[in-house]
């Protein structure tokens, strides 16, 4: 009962309250506070209006650019790199569009199995794939310039965040056969070696651009702005004949393998124009597959390696002696007892020959006979001839890496040095320089400028010796490459040939080792020379090291193949067995 009466009294008290007479509600708000509140609301409104006006009217360009940064992208439109062609228009290097795989890491989704499959297809280790995905949140290359089947397999996985973009990739149809001529480029098609490097600016062209809007998945939604069209690179046509190049490469490769040599090189020149028809080296590499490439494979040995040319210098001494009227081809020279002293230092032949004519001195490669001719001359006269044919000077050729070689000033020559330089010791040269020097004999006494680019018209030669002297030396070279000479294995089926062997110990420090270089340089046909061929094999390793045994057979086969490809008719009657590989060679003095 008491509880019920208490509740009733409380209800009655609530009913008696007059809210209109409440002191809190009945009090008036101060006018200043109301005005301040209204002012703040008005100020906020004005600020919003001002901000909207600034965005819409004053800062329009800025905010549009900021918006474009988030959705608009300027894409480079890659120019197509120019082709490298051989003299007949066959492609040695060209660019084709291939897929490159990229990803948006923040969108990438794949389970462990899919990651392993993706890594395997892209030839990556799983850890390497993870590392690439961790580089950035918005973009990363997974693999560039992959083959179409690879991208098809990646696309079939259906992985989110993995995309494809087309890029140009360089193709090299002749692979390792022409690698040292053509060279290669980087993934971005920047020339690194050979013709690709030397003519990089011409081949590369100029890239264009286009501005596009992309969605968050990287897909192009639309083009905006003006498009700048790319300017494709220009083609470069070489003097190289790809068929001659391939055969020269294959033949020197076989010789290196047969003799277990360290390396080998072949240079083929057009004797009439000075054009380089072939420049082959072994070991080589495939420009399209450079994952395990070594420096030894990349080096263009025919241009970069220098060596003492040995007995290949003897025809120049004979030519100079003929020019100076000191001798004729039939002048006898006493070479017995096969040994001569110069400044107390002995110079020897491989064995005593007795009396030899000047022509026989070259045929038998006699050191003694050559020194006796050289010592009748002034050092300046020898130096001038060597300089005129290009020794000690960098070849003027549009190609990187060509070296100068070494030819000391004649004023510093001692008598023994003059003597040794007459048969190729004490100076150095590259195989290309040696081949060019022999154009003097092939082109009637004129030195022909060499060119790696095809010429529309033959260049003018530089007169060094008379046509009569050149013809006389060609006769000596023919004897040297025939029976009784140092290189009967240089004989070519159907074509007359002439040339000179060279064999020299390799220098190490101030002395010479028992390791050798063997080479042969010559011309064909002798009756009307069309080509000059120089062959060098470095460090033959089977106990056979003479140039006439190692390099001359390479010369023979390259000459036959090249002249046939050039359509040069045989100047000798072709008979079965006319080239007898068993004809004994004269032991060479070196």
């Amino acid at each position: 009962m008491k509880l019920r009466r208490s509740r009733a009294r409380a209800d009655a008290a609530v009913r008696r309250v007059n809210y209109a007479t409440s002191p809190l509600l009945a009090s008036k708000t101060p006018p200043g506070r109301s005005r301040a509140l209204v002012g703040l609301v008005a100020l906020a409104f004005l600020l919003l209006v001002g901000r909207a006006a600034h965005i819409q009217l004053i800062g329009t360009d800025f905010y549009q650019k900021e918006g474009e940064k988030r959705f608009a992208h300027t894409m480079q439109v890659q120019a197509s790199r120019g082709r490298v062609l051989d003299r007949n228009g066959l492609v040695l290097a060209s660019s084709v569009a291939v897929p490159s795989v990229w990803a948006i890491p923040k969108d990438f989704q794949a389970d462990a199995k899919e990651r392993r499959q993706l890594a395997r297809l892209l030839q990556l280790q799983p850890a390497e794939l993870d590392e690439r995905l961790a580089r950035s949140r918005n973009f990363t290359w997974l693999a560039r310039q992959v083959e179409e089947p690879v991208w098809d397999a990646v696309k079939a996985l259906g992985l989110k965040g993995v995309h494809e973009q087309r890029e140009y990739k360089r193709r090299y149809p002749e692979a390792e056969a022409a690698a040292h001529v053509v060279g290669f480029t980087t993934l971005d098609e920047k020339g690194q070696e050979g013709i690709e490097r030397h003519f990089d600016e011409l081949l590369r062209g100029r890239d264009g651009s286009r501005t596009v809007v992309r969605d968050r998945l990287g897909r192009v939604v639309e083009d905006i702005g003006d498009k700048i069209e790319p300017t494709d690179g220009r083609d470069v046509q070489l003097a190289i004949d790809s068929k001659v190049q391939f055969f020269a490469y294959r033949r020197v490769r076989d010789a290196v393998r047969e003799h277990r040599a360290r390396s080998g090189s072949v240079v083929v020149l057009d004797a009439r124009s000075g054009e380089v028809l072939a420049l082959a080296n072994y070991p080589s590499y495939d420009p399209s597959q450079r994952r395990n490439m070594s420096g030894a494979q990349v080096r263009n040995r025919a241009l970069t390696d220098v060596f003492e040319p040995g007995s290949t210098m003897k025809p120049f001494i004979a030519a100079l002696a003929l020019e100076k009227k000191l001798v004729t081809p039939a002048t006898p020279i006493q070479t017995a007892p096969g040994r001569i002293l110069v400044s107390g230092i002995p110079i020897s032949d491989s064995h005593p020959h007795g009396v030899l004519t000047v022509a026989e001195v070259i045929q038998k490669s006699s050191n003694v006979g050559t020194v006796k001719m050289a010592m009748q001359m002034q050092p300046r006269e020898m130096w001038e001839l060597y300089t005129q044919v290009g020794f000690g000077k960098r070849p003027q050729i549009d190609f990187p890496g060509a070296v100068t070689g070494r030819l000391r000033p004649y004023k510093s020559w001692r008598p023994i040095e003059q003597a040794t330089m007459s048969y190729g010791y004490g100076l150095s040269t590259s195989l290309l320089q040696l081949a060019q020097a022999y154009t003097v004999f092939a082109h009637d006494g004129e030195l022909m400028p060499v060119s790696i680019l095809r010429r529309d018209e033959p260049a003018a030669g530089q007169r060094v010796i008379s046509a009569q002297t050149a013809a006389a030396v060609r006769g000596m070279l023919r004897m040297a490459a025939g029976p009784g000479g140092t290189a009967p294995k240089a004989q070519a089926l159907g074509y007359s040939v002439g040339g000179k062997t060279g064999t020299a110990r390799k220098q190490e420090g101030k002395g010479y080792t028992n390791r050798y270089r063997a080479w042969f340089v010559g011309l064909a046909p002798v009756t009307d020379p069309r080509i000059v061929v120089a062959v060098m094999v470095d460090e033959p390793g089977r106990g056979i090291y003479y140039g006439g045994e190692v390099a001359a057979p390479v010369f023979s086969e390259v000459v036959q193949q090249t002249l046939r490809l050039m359509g040069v008719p045989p100047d000798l009657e072709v008979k079965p067995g006319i080239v007898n590989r068993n004809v004994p060679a004269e032991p060479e003095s070196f």
Side-chain angles (χ1 to χ4, degrees), residues 40 94 108 124 188 216 250 259 289 295-296 378 388 410 437 466-467 475:
L40 287 173
S94 64
F108 181 77
L124 299 173
D188 296 315
R216 65 184 297 275
R250 189 174 65 178
H259 294 281
Q289 304 292 333
Q378 296 298 317
Q388 286 178 319
Y410 65 88
S466 67

Side-chain angles (χ1 to χ4, degrees), residues 304-544:
T304 63
D305 286 15
V306 294
F307 52 84
E308 292 178 310
S311 296
T312 58
M313 297 301 295
K314 293 173 182 176
F316 295 101
I317 298 302
L320 185 57
L322 292 172
E323 281 287 287
K324 298 296 180 182
K325 310 295 184 184
L326 299 176
V327 298
T328 69
T331 299
I333 298 177
Q334 178 58 263
T335 66
R339 188 168 180 267
I340 187 174
L341 292 176
V342 178
S343 300
I345 299 174
I347 294 173
S348 303
D349 285 339
S350 59
H351 64 277
H353 294 291
V355 177
L356 298 175
T357 65
V358 170
E360 289 172 333
V361 166
I362 302 303
Q363 179 191 28
K364 308 293 184 184
S365 194
S366 169
N367 289 344
V368 173
T370 303
V371 169
K372 284 192 172 183
M373 285 190 285
M375 300 312 286
Q376 298 180 56
M377 309 168 192
Q378 296 298 317
R380 177 181 57 81
E381 294 172 328
M382 284 178 54
W383 180 86
E384 287 177 347
L385 177 65
Y386 286 1
T387 302
Q388 286 178 319
V389 298
F391 297 121
K393 297 191 296 186
R394 186 183 182 279
Q396 298 302 305
I397 185 172
D398 293 318
F399 205 87
V403 295
T404 301
R406 183 172 63 94
L407 177 63
R408 290 175 30 242
Y410 65 88
K411 291 183 179 180
S412 65
W413 292 7
R414 295 176 297 160
I416 185 59
E417 291 172 326
Q418 180 182 353
T420 58
M421 275 194 267
S422 71
Y423 58 93
Y425 284 86
L427 70 158
S428 64
T429 180
S430 70
L431 193 65
L432 178 69
Q433 286 177 304
L434 189 59
Q436 183 186 15
Y438 267 66
T439 64
V440 167
F441 306 130
H443 203 262
D444 288 333
E446 293 182 343
L447 181 74
M448 296 302 296
V450 294
S451 174
I452 197 72
L453 299 179
R454 182 176 180 179
R455 287 174 171 157
D456 295 328
E457 297 291 336
Q462 177 186 350
R463 174 66 59 189
V464 177
I465 57 177
S466 67
Q468 293 78 10
T469 297
V473 174
R474 285 200 298 271
M476 300 178 195
L477 295 175
R478 187 170 188 174
M479 292 171 61
T486 56
K489 291 185 179 180
Q491 292 293 301
L493 188 65
Y495 298 100
S496 60
V497 302
K500 188 68 189 72
T501 54
T503 309
R505 288 188 173 91
K506 296 183 69 172
Q507 188 174 12
E508 189 173 289
K510 295 183 179 181
Y512 290 88
T513 68
N514 287 324
R515 292 175 290 140
Y516 301 86
R517 284 191 180 95
W519 51 87
F520 187 91
V521 56
L523 44 89
V526 170
T527 53
D528 183 16
R530 295 295 305 277
I531 57 173
V532 173
V533 178
V535 180
M536 189 274 289
V537 178
D538 187 19
E539 292 189 26
R542 298 183 61 186
I544 302 173

Side-chain angles (χ1 to χ4, degrees), residues 110 130 139-140 160 203 255 302 432 457 526 543 561:
D130 293 341
F139 176 89
T140 186
K160 186 177 180 181
L203 289 163
L432 178 69
E457 297 291 336
V526 170
Q561 187 72 14

Side-chain angles (χ1 to χ4, degrees), residues 81 194-204 234 236 238 398-400 452-453:
R81 189 174 178 85
I195 292 296
E196 295 277 33
R197 176 180 175 182
H198 191 81
F199 292 99
D200 183 57
E201 186 174 349
L202 182 67
L203 289 163
R204 188 167 49 192
R234 293 171 57 187
V236 172
L238 305 183
D398 293 318
F399 205 87
I452 197 72
L453 299 179

Side-chain angles (χ1 to χ4, degrees), residues 268-304:
V268 182
L269 301 181
D270 187 315
R272 294 183 177 178
S273 66
E275 294 172 303
V276 181
L277 301 179
L279 194 159
N281 297 278
Y282 184 81
S284 186
Y285 62 96
D286 185 346
S288 299
Q289 304 292 333
R290 306 192 299 273
R291 189 176 293 267
N292 298 315
M293 187 170 61
S294 67
Q297 291 174 295
V298 175
R299 193 164 81 246
N300 192 337
R301 299 170 187 271
L303 275 76
T304 63

